[in-house]
Amino acid sequence: MRVITTCLRAAVLTAVTTLFALPVVAADMLDKPEGRVILEVSGKVERTTDGTVAEFDREGVIALGAETFETTTPWTEGPVTFTGVPIQALIDAVGATGETLTVTALNDYSSQMRIDTVIAAGAILAYDMNGRPLSVREKGPLWVVFPFDSNESLRTEEYWGYAVWQVKSIDIE
């Protein structure tokens, strides 16, 4: 009788563990975008939309959270208000495990940057400028932007080089 009880407990424990493990696997998958994909995140990411990359449409990027700040840039006239997802929120959403980002633009320009550096500097992946969606003509649909006016150390060639516009993909290594 003791052997049967032990076997029954083991079977029940296995069944319960398997049942509870299934939603964890499903939770690691992000919802597939319904709209036009504007961003692909690949590399060392734990959560994807298809098992290899995380794809986002505009609504999916916006859903990750928003931060707004005003700053000047070398590419715009006067102070501009940017709204976008904090890089930290994007990193968290995809479960990034790497240390660097390679951000690539529509024209294949790319810039490699340390994740901790861009997070500490307060970078966002901007999707709005002055309350309007960024168009490709206005350096959109996504633009890595720093609060350049908040810290003089951000107004350097290094950080300007990190400010990739017309972002199409981010690879995490």
Side-chain angles (χ1 to χ4, degrees):
M1 182 69 163
R2 186 171 275 255
V3 171
I4 293 173
T5 304
T6 302
C7 288
L8 185 57
R9 280 187 187 156
V12 168
L13 183 60
T14 300
V16 169
T17 303
T18 301
L19 264 176
F20 285 107
L22 290 176
V24 171
V25 172
D28 287 340
M29 294 295 286
L30 298 169
D31 292 335
K32 287 189 179 277
E34 293 182 17
R36 182 177 60 89
V37 173
I38 62 169
L39 176 66
E40 289 185 356
V41 182
S42 60
K44 294 183 178 179
V45 295
E46 294 178 350
R47 288 184 290 284
T48 66
T49 50
D50 68 357
T52 59
V53 300
E55 295 179 324
F56 296 91
D57 57 12
R58 179 176 164 78
E59 290 72 26
V61 172
I62 291 171
L64 298 177
E67 185 172 319
T68 299
F69 56 74
E70 183 178 272
T71 193
T72 57
T73 78
W75 312 281
T76 55
E77 290 187 31
V80 177
T81 301
F82 290 99
T83 301
V85 61
I87 297 296
Q88 179 70 64
L90 177 65
I91 295 300
D92 292 344
V94 299
T97 59
E99 296 178 6
T100 61
L101 303 174
T102 300
V103 181
T104 303
L106 293 172
N107 67 356
D108 291 327
Y109 169 82
S110 67
S111 181
Q112 189 174 57
M113 55 203 84
R114 290 191 48 82
I115 292 172
D116 57 353
T117 299
V118 295
I119 290 172
I124 64 171
L125 191 57
Y127 47 76
D128 284 353
M129 183 169 67
N130 293 329
R132 293 187 335 260
L134 281 165
S135 68
V136 172
R137 175 170 269 194
E138 297 171 314
K139 303 187 177 3
L142 301 169
W143 183 359
V144 177
V145 181
F146 295 84
F148 295 111
D149 295 347
S150 71
N151 185 333
E152 190 172 321
S153 68
L154 299 178
R155 292 189 299 268
T156 64
E157 292 293 326
E158 176 184 12
Y159 284 92
W160 291 332
Y162 294 158
V164 179
W165 56 75
Q166 297 178 331
V167 173
K168 70 174 179 181
S169 64
I170 299 174
D171 187 57
I172 299 172
E173 292 302 320

